[in-house]
Amino acid sequence: MARLLQTALLVVVSGACLFMAATAQTGTSQTGREYHVSVHGDDANEGSQEKPLRTISAAAQLAQPGDIITVHSGVYRESVQPPRGGDSEDKRITYQSAAGEKAEIKGSEIIRNWEKVQGDTWKTVLPNSFFGGFNPYSDLIHGDWFNPKDRQHHTGAVYLNGFWLAEAAALEDVLQPASETPLWYGTVDDQNTTLWAQFKGVNPNDQEVEINVRKTVFYPARPNINYITVRGF
């Protein structure tokens, strides 16, 4: 991930750590309030360094032109939708990670209710309501730039300790012993999303297994929200 991307507005990248970049400038002055966000905070707090907020989304609702949102180390699993931007180059709204700290915004959730099927293959069943209005396991990758090679590829994925498993073309492929490239496969019906995945030699319930849930992690609530800086994530 680039530490600072200077673009016209937003770039959204799919993946477990869905990320983006908003308009960014260096050297501009900020004269507004600074809101702090921490995984140990509470959204009922005022947002000071002593009483930080819990989510970036809560800070986004409060921030006005010229304000800075400083996010402290930790993983933030949310979709931030800034309701407003700044007024000018000198009165931006800035989203930044705290100096020397690692803050991550993720579009994934950890799943721990895996049940062993056979061999290296495990399965989990999730209600479709778990995904809200966007289910990446029913959303296909498409476009004139993409060659599906006569099979389906979804925007969702399964990750084991940060490693990206490959999507299988068919369920029977996942039921085989795992190779050097572990596989996953998913189906979606009217009520549930079922995922099968290969976890070679480990119990996934004892590991960090993540699946995609959100379409984006940072995307303005509507068009023409400008003068936003995002840096350090």
Side-chain angles (χ1 to χ4, degrees):
M1 301 279 179
R3 297 294 290 179
L4 177 62
L5 299 179
Q6 295 182 326
T7 60
L9 192 53
L10 284 187
V11 177
V12 180
V13 180
S14 294
C17 189
L18 292 169
F19 199 61
M20 71 295 124
T23 51
Q25 295 284 336
T26 59
T28 56
S29 61
Q30 298 282 157
T31 58
R33 176 175 177 175
E34 183 174 12
Y35 291 96
H36 290 265
V37 180
S38 167
V39 293
H40 305 295
D42 189 316
D43 283 345
N45 287 343
E46 60 188 22
S48 65
Q49 190 164 7
E50 295 76 18
K51 295 183 178 182
L53 298 162
R54 172 61 183 84
T55 65
I56 304 169
S57 295
Q61 294 298 318
L62 297 173
Q64 301 296 321
D67 290 349
I68 296 174
I69 296 172
T70 297
V71 184
H72 294 274
S73 60
V75 175
Y76 298 84
R77 299 181 187 275
E78 56 180 303
S79 179
V80 184
Q81 298 181 356
R84 70 189 67 82
D87 289 337
S88 66
E89 293 289 357
D90 293 329
K91 294 193 68 176
R92 291 173 165 271
I93 295 180
T94 297
Y95 295 77
Q96 64 181 17
S97 61
E101 300 185 35
K102 183 180 179 181
E104 298 178 82
I105 312 174
K106 288 195 172 187
S108 61
E109 291 289 343
I110 294 175
I111 302 298
R112 299 199 186 280
N113 62 335
W114 294 92
E115 298 179 0
K116 190 164 187 175
V117 177
Q118 63 184 46
D120 299 322
T121 307
W122 298 68
K123 179 179 76 171
T124 186
V125 180
L126 301 165
N128 292 336
S129 57
F130 177 79
F131 299 93
F134 173 75
N135 188 331
Y137 301 96
S138 61
D139 182 53
L140 293 175
I141 301 174
H142 65 279
D144 55 9
W145 54 272
F146 181 68
N147 180 6
K149 298 183 179 180
D150 299 320
R151 52 162 292 193
Q152 293 184 336
H153 299 261
H154 294 86
T155 56
V158 178
Y159 308 82
L160 172 62
N161 298 325
F163 177 80
W164 190 327
L165 278 63
E167 182 175 8
L171 175 58
E172 50 263 32
D173 296 334
V174 186
L175 297 176
Q176 302 301 315
S179 66
E180 291 301 314
T181 304
L183 303 173
W184 70 271
Y185 184 79
T187 61
V188 180
D189 60 27
D190 291 340
Q191 295 184 323
N192 297 313
T193 297
T194 304
L195 300 175
W196 293 261
Q198 295 174 331
F199 300 107
K200 190 173 183 178
V202 299
N203 182 335
N205 297 307
D206 297 332
Q207 309 295 316
E208 184 173 87
V209 178
E210 300 171 90
I211 68 168
N212 293 111
V213 174
R214 302 169 190 86
K215 190 174 186 178
T216 63
V217 295
F218 192 102
Y219 204 94
R222 63 181 187 281
N224 301 316
I225 295 181
N226 301 312
Y227 300 112
I228 294 176
T229 295
V230 180
R231 63 186 176 213
F233 292 93

